[in-house]
Amino acid sequence: MDSFITPRVNKSYLSSFVGNTVRLVGKVINQNSGTAVLESSDHQQVQVYQQQGSHYADEFVEVIGKVNPDGTIREEIFYNWGSNFDLDLYNEAIQEYHKHRELFF
């Protein structure tokens, strides 16, 4: 059975997944005219090129999209995650996820 894997990443892992689809959870810093800046779980900023009509309504979102060579993400879909989310705890989970990649990839 084929599966579509979308690894969970923070900013520091983006360069390992250029051209691939990933999941990034972040805090919305700003959004304007089709672009948004998110603070990823490792407290670095990531620029996201949003789909036409996308608008992040919550403070935290998950973006699923393709990683561009410049470290930006082209959004394919997003999910609002509310306003109460612990980025530091999530970052610890991301670190473990990548430490034990054989379990997930």
Side-chain angles (χ1 to χ4, degrees), residues 4-104:
F4 183 66
I5 297 171
T6 53
R8 295 185 180 278
V9 298
N10 58 26
K11 170 72 171 185
S12 64
Y13 288 108
L14 286 178
S15 63
S16 299
F17 294 98
V18 171
N20 295 303
T21 301
V22 297
R23 294 173 176 264
L24 182 124
V25 173
K27 180 178 181 178
V28 179
I29 303 300
N30 66 50
Q31 57 184 323
N32 187 2
S33 301
T35 61
V37 176
L38 304 181
E39 178 185 345
S40 71
S41 62
D42 59 349
H43 301 288
Q44 297 184 59
Q45 292 188 355
V46 177
Q47 184 171 357
V48 176
Y49 293 102
Q50 297 170 290
Q51 289 281 348
Q52 184 174 353
S54 286
H55 178 76
Y56 305 156
D58 289 349
E59 184 176 1
F60 295 96
V61 297
E62 178 181 46
V63 172
I64 300 173
K66 192 160 288 206
V67 181
N68 296 316
D70 62 357
T72 60
I73 296 177
R74 178 149 314 275
E75 172 198 291
E76 295 173 4
I77 192 168
F78 76 94
Y79 299 98
N80 286 305
W81 277 31
S83 60
N84 186 14
F85 188 77
D86 188 334
L87 279 178
D88 293 321
L89 182 59
Y90 187 77
N91 197 58
E92 289 179 29
I94 293 293
Q95 298 300 324
E96 290 300 314
Y97 178 83
H98 286 277
K99 196 182 299 182
H100 304 287
R101 293 173 75 152
E102 69 279 0
L103 297 174
F104 301 100

